[in-house]
Amino acid sequence: MSHPHPELGPPPPPPENGLRIVALGGLGEIGRNMAVFEYDGRLLVVDCGVLFPEPDQPGVDLILPDFDYIRGRLDDIEALVLTHAHEDHIGAVPYLLRERRDIPIVGSRLTLGLIESKLAEHRIQPVKVEVIEGERRSFGPFECEFVAVNHSIPDALAVAVRTPAGLVLHTGDFKMDQLPLDGRLTDLGAFARLGAEGVDLLMSDSTNSEVPGFVTSERDIAPVIDDVFRTAAKRIIVASFASHIHRVQQIMDAAEKHGRKVALIGRSMVRNMGVARELGYLKVPAGLLVDSREIEEWPPEDVVLICTGSQGEPMAALSRMANRDHPIRIAEGDTVLLASSLVPGNETAVSKVINGLNRWGARVVHKGNARVHVSGHAAAGELLYVLNLTKPSNFMPVHGEWRHLRAHARLAELTGVPRENIVIAEDGVVVDLVDGRARIAGAVPCGYVFVDGTSVGDITDVALKDRRILGDEGFISIVVVVDSTTGKLTGGPEITARGSGIDPDAFDAVIPLIESALQEVAAAGVADEMQIRRTIRRTVGRWVSDTYRRRPMIIPVVVEV
């Protein structure tokens, strides 16, 4: 079993008649999925998603894949294949198309409909190539065959990539629900046929590789939803992913059955469900939907609100309702249904929202107290099934954190994939498929690219560290005026603090220390502004640490006269 090493160096030139694969996201993390295939100097990209920030990344809106590896070769890209329309697979597409707008976007009807709607907000008109399951399309040296897979969004596809170097099957996100709501099964026959042809490398979804057995069918949560509707005394507020069309359909069906009207809350929810309805993936009974602005006119027992915010996102509708920062006010007797899985890392934020909703008297139904969600990702039993069907010569787990990748690798070994043919890679690791064998060939730089408002890539790890310090410890600013020639103190120091928790009067004790330190510097003939700032920072930092055991950000300001 080969795996990355921290000291991997740059890879050699791509091997002749070999296929090179570099993941720019999605390995060792949940999200930011993006894989680049290279053959004979041409590139094929599969997915281009975002990662959502964690609490220790304050101010960050989104995290993108690092495009540096392909930035100088954008004209070599034959196509961008999108396996499905979840944000962790399509969210970074607008940022890639800013750099080359005419990259052909390949996907199913719904996937293209949702990405086109998203790109319209960025004023980008994409070059679309619509495909269906069972279809084969060639893009330069890459022949792509598309296979239907079942997931928590309709119209998801796996893609088999054929080149002279071999056949690679990329499953995308999938599960094997045998009673899917839309009747569209994962095409196990196609997987078996590809396995008979000879899969040289299987790249398979690892998200649920630690979960034994098979994932529960979507249909199994219908009775729970029905029970929520039957017992709810007043309004029902459902929080879901804005792309979870199956779940929204279930909620609408239950609303119709129980005589309630439905309003969609949130821009992304309204946009996505509008596209799904227009394309026929969402069936909305006549008269069921009402405008959210009219919802207050209806009796509480007659309405259902469907909104975003199931992950505790601060600016999403549900979080704002919990904080009383939304036109819709949670009231005693309301029922809130969190109809989504919990993305790792969001536990604290979701718990805070649940507590906020309970504070205002709502009954909150969530995965912890009812079966209101089933995963969209195959569990270990399903992954074993696919491994046995496809019989890959080489295996590379994708789409998961380290524990998921390693668990999936163990499953592959159990099915007979030779240990030395199992490649566990991380973002930026270069994998070459040559003569039927996949091997790690090196690594390329592949960091996080942070989006903060309109800023893309300007926020660095250093800036995030500063933000964390400011949030945890506050700051102290010290302004001094010095003689530009001698470095002697001529004014100040004036000290201002915010968020440090230190009484302003307490700084009287550090002023003599600053004056003494600056006198010593001036006596040594030092008038350099940088040295003066360093002296102030060291003096104040030591005093704060010794006195208060704190480490606020210290910002010296030196004015030369």
Side-chain angles (χ1 to χ4, degrees):
M1 186 182 299
S2 58
H3 59 87
H5 189 279
E7 296 178 0
L8 278 175
E16 189 174 350
N17 299 321
L19 177 66
R20 173 159 287 183
I21 303 164
V22 182
L24 300 183
L27 302 187
E29 60 195 3
I30 302 291
R32 214 170 60 121
N33 298 291
M34 183 176 183
V36 179
F37 295 78
E38 178 176 358
Y39 183 84
D40 195 23
R42 305 303 294 172
L43 305 178
L44 179 78
V45 180
V46 175
D47 290 330
C48 187
V50 296
L51 180 67
F52 293 102
E54 296 185 0
D56 65 347
Q57 295 163 330
V60 174
D61 299 319
L62 299 170
I63 304 172
L64 308 179
D66 188 345
F67 299 147
D68 278 353
Y69 174 66
I70 59 173
R71 183 162 278 121
R73 304 184 56 194
L74 294 172
D75 290 338
D76 294 337
I77 299 175
E78 296 285 353
L80 167 58
V81 175
L82 301 178
T83 58
H84 64 283
H86 279 151
E87 284 295 300
D88 58 333
H89 291 257
I90 69 168
V93 172
Y95 300 93
L96 180 60
L97 293 193
R98 285 182 187 180
E99 306 203 21
R100 182 189 154 196
R101 294 189 171 227
D102 63 345
I103 297 174
I105 308 297
V106 184
S108 64
R109 188 168 179 237
L110 177 64
T111 300
L112 292 181
L114 292 176
I115 192 62
E116 184 174 29
S117 176
K118 173 186 284 292
L119 288 170
E121 297 183 358
H122 293 259
R123 298 176 182 172
I124 297 174
Q125 181 62 44
V127 178
K128 299 183 298 180
V129 180
E130 184 176 323
V131 294
I132 60 172
E133 53 263 33
E135 184 175 353
R136 290 193 185 194
R137 283 286 188 99
S138 290
F139 306 96
F142 308 97
E143 183 189 74
C144 297
E145 178 180 349
F146 300 93
V147 180
V149 292
N150 178 243
H151 189 38
S152 53
I153 188 172
D155 247 9
L157 296 168
V159 57
V161 181
R162 292 180 177 87
T163 68
L167 169 61
V168 178
L169 174 58
H170 190 304
T171 66
D173 287 354
F174 79 100
K175 60 178 177 175
M176 289 164 51
D177 191 340
Q178 298 303 296
L179 295 170
L181 295 175
D182 59 1
R184 187 172 178 271
L185 295 161
T186 293
D187 192 347
L188 300 179
F191 282 176
R193 175 175 51 76
L194 291 166
E197 178 183 336
V199 174
D200 294 287
L201 176 64
L202 174 65
M203 301 171 66
S204 183
D205 176 14
S206 306
T207 309
N208 269 350
S209 59
E210 292 184 309
V211 179
F214 283 61
V215 170
T216 306
S217 173
E218 291 275 352
R219 293 180 185 270
D220 288 357
I221 71 170
V224 181
I225 293 175
D226 186 73
D227 185 64
V228 169
F229 274 73
R230 183 176 54 79
T231 57
K234 293 187 178 179
R235 290 181 302 185
I236 298 173
I237 300 166
V238 181
S240 176
F241 290 120
S243 57
H244 205 330
I245 296 165
H246 291 322
R247 187 71 72 250
V248 172
Q249 184 70 69
Q250 287 177 305
I251 298 301
M252 287 189 172
D253 292 344
E256 182 188 29
K257 175 182 176 181
H258 291 272
R260 289 178 179 254
K261 299 293 184 182
V262 174
L264 301 175
I265 309 294
R267 185 181 63 178
S268 59
M269 181 67 73
V270 171
R271 180 190 68 198
N272 286 358
M273 294 310 135
V275 172
R277 184 182 187 184
E278 182 181 331
L279 296 179
Y281 293 91
L282 183 69
K283 305 295 189 294
V284 183
L288 182 71
L289 275 181
V290 297
D291 192 292
S292 60
R293 290 169 292 188
E294 303 171 9
I295 205 68
E296 297 294 341
E297 300 174 9
W298 291 84
E301 63 272 14
D302 291 342
V303 300
V304 180
L305 310 179
I306 304 178
C307 67
T308 56
S310 61
Q311 301 304 306
E313 306 95 315
M315 296 308 295
L318 191 67
S319 296
R320 293 172 57 204
M321 292 179 198
N323 294 328
R324 285 288 169 99
D325 184 29
H326 194 279
I328 294 170
R329 294 290 179 120
I330 299 295
E332 188 80 32
D334 285 346
T335 297
V336 178
L337 174 60
L338 298 180
S340 292
S341 62
L342 190 58
V343 174
N346 292 344
E347 294 86 355
T348 302
V350 172
S351 178
K352 184 177 179 181
V353 169
I354 291 173
N355 278 318
L357 295 168
N358 274 283
R359 178 186 181 189
W360 309 118
R363 168 196 174 204
V364 184
V365 182
H366 54 88
K367 192 177 180 181
N369 57 26
R371 178 174 283 180
V372 292
H373 179 76
V374 296
S375 177
H377 301 270
E382 297 157 88
L383 298 177
L384 286 168
Y385 207 103
V386 169
L387 281 159
N388 285 325
L389 275 178
T390 57
K391 300 180 177 65
S393 302
N394 299 270
F395 176 68
M396 179 176 169
V398 296
H399 302 178
E401 297 175 344
W402 273 105
R403 59 195 178 100
H404 306 128
L405 302 181
R406 292 202 176 276
H408 204 173
R410 286 192 289 271
L411 295 177
E413 192 173 358
L414 289 173
T415 64
V417 180
R419 184 179 178 85
E420 62 272 15
N421 288 13
I422 298 173
V423 177
I424 302 179
E426 60 184 328
D427 296 342
V429 168
V430 177
V431 177
D432 285 343
L433 179 64
V434 184
D435 297 329
R437 179 75 183 276
R439 293 184 177 88
I440 288 176
V444 298
C446 186
Y448 280 0
V449 176
F450 300 109
V451 178
D452 182 357
T454 59
S455 167
V456 179
D458 294 334
I459 303 301
T460 63
D461 288 330
V462 172
L464 284 181
K465 181 181 178 182
D466 287 347
R467 290 181 179 185
R468 287 192 290 270
I469 293 172
L470 286 169
D472 295 339
E473 303 282 358
F475 77 91
I476 299 172
S477 172
I478 307 100
V479 180
V480 298
V481 181
V482 299
D483 187 295
S484 60
T485 304
T486 65
K488 290 183 178 180
L489 185 69
T490 62
E494 294 182 6
I495 301 178
T496 303
R498 293 288 185 274
S500 66
I502 301 174
D503 190 306
D505 293 337
F507 289 113
D508 290 343
V510 76
I511 289 176
L513 301 178
I514 298 172
E515 292 173 340
S516 175
L518 292 182
Q519 284 175 2
E520 291 181 12
V521 170
V526 176
D528 177 63
E529 180 184 341
M530 184 72 71
Q531 182 64 40
I532 294 172
R533 285 206 303 267
R534 191 177 297 119
T535 299
I536 296 171
R537 186 180 292 110
R538 185 170 55 246
T539 302
V540 176
R542 186 183 301 118
W543 176 80
V544 173
S545 178
D546 291 346
T547 308
Y548 295 97
R549 295 293 186 268
R550 295 176 187 168
R551 297 183 63 185
M553 180 176 289
I554 298 170
I555 307 173
V557 179
V558 178
V559 179
E560 295 182 324
V561 294

